[in-house]
Amino acid sequence: MAGDSGTDGDRGGFREGLESSAGDPRLLIVLNAILSALFAWWLVWGAALIGAVEYSLATVAVVAVGLFLLTHVMTRPS
């Protein structure tokens, strides 16, 4: 390839790069919030469909916060 100096031996492999990268915790928080909100909406919609809970924005918000906190605690590095 153009610009390839042939010194790939000095660079770590793709796996080593992924394992050594801590990533951006803000991205994890944003993805967790978005996915928790979507999953909460889906759960509350399904529960309302069978008559288990009342479908409302407040119910979705409470479930989303609960899911967010649960997944945040479970995915924290030890």
Side-chain angles (χ1 to χ4, degrees), residues 3-69:
D4 189 12
S5 62
T7 59
D8 286 338
D10 296 337
R11 296 174 31 200
F14 185 70
R15 180 180 304 250
E16 289 83 12
L18 286 176
E19 289 172 352
S20 68
S21 174
D24 190 359
R26 294 174 295 182
L27 179 63
L28 178 64
I29 290 170
V30 169
L31 284 175
N32 188 4
I34 291 170
L35 293 174
S36 293
L38 289 173
F39 192 59
W41 171 78
W42 181 71
L43 283 174
V44 172
W45 174 80
L49 193 64
I50 62 171
V53 296
E54 181 182 339
Y55 183 79
S56 70
L57 186 59
T59 308
V60 173
V62 168
V63 173
V65 168
L67 285 171
F68 177 85
L69 292 174

